[in-house]
Amino acid sequence: YGVRPRMSEQEALSRCPEAHFAPAQMDRDAEVLLHILEVLSQHTEHIEPITRPQAPVFLIEMPVQRRIDLIEVAQQMGSQVRAISHQTPAIAIAPTVFTAKTVASTLQSGYVRYITPEQTVEMLSHYPLNVLPLSDGTINRMHRLGINTVGHFADLPSKTIFTQFGREGQVAYDLAHGRDR
């Protein structure tokens, strides 16, 4: 929706009317995050917090491989997190970190989304370019060339990416194709 950190609440609501704002309570939030980490650690030893406490996102590596088991574990974790924090998480299960983070960031609270490797490129194709790790200058250049979504970018011939957009373009192109180192 274009909501960014340090944006005024009024501006954020104009871009995303259904947004819910909760004032930060640092002590309570830190305690809730510790409880959430305890819940996650019951399911895996590989937990990586990748955002600030104000908007927690955790990437976890699960040893479970069956789709139904992954969804069940995600639902259980979601219920436990909701009981502890009174917040309903959105959970994405995907073959790459980038795909999981991107999809989870746009899911409605309470939803679990499972993305197979075959669905990754199609799933990412509708997102705007700003989800990719590209500089503003590169994104503006792409817009001038008529490239407005991850899908438009992914459709470009691979041979032209490095020469046109350099190293950052190559990294972004790999992410757009579901390849995440």
Side-chain angles (χ1 to χ4, degrees):
Y1 296 106
V3 176
R4 298 178 314 278
R6 292 180 290 286
M7 179 181 279
S8 75
E9 185 174 333
Q10 183 178 9
E11 186 178 357
L13 279 172
S14 70
R15 292 175 184 229
C16 184
E18 68 273 12
H20 169 74
F21 295 87
Q25 297 174 10
M26 298 307 276
D27 292 339
R28 185 213 61 192
D29 293 347
E31 185 177 325
V32 166
L33 286 176
L34 285 175
H35 287 302
I36 290 171
L37 286 170
E38 286 175 22
V39 167
L40 297 178
S41 68
Q42 294 170 12
H43 301 281
T44 181
E45 296 176 8
H46 306 285
I47 304 170
E48 180 184 351
I50 58 167
T51 57
R52 300 169 314 286
Q54 300 89 338
V57 172
F58 298 96
L59 298 175
I60 62 174
E61 183 179 322
M62 299 294 293
V64 179
Q65 294 301 314
R66 290 183 22 206
R67 177 181 189 268
I68 192 71
D69 294 338
L70 285 168
I71 292 171
E72 186 177 310
V73 167
Q75 289 170 335
Q76 288 173 2
M77 286 190 302
S79 295
Q80 291 173 315
V81 167
R82 188 171 38 259
I84 290 167
S85 69
H86 306 291
Q87 299 292 320
T88 306
I91 301 172
I93 303 164
T96 67
V97 170
F98 175 76
T99 303
K101 182 181 176 196
T102 302
V103 173
S105 70
T106 58
L107 282 177
Q108 267 189 309
S109 294
Y111 281 83
V112 174
R113 184 70 190 258
Y114 182 87
I115 302 105
T116 66
E118 299 79 28
Q119 295 171 317
T120 300
V121 175
E122 175 61 29
M123 177 65 63
L124 294 173
S125 69
H126 305 287
Y127 285 91
L129 287 173
N130 67 351
V131 301
L132 294 169
L134 295 167
S135 67
D136 289 342
T138 300
I139 290 174
N140 290 336
R141 183 168 171 238
M142 287 184 182
H143 286 307
R144 286 192 304 274
L145 295 170
I147 304 165
N148 298 307
T149 66
V150 173
H152 292 153
F153 182 55
D155 287 342
L156 294 174
S158 62
K159 293 179 183 180
T160 64
I161 299 302
F162 189 79
T163 56
Q164 289 295 313
F165 304 108
R167 176 83 177 118
E168 78 168 335
Q170 189 63 57
V171 168
Y173 191 76
D174 287 344
L175 294 173
H177 281 273
R179 297 184 296 265
D180 187 348
R181 297 184 191 131

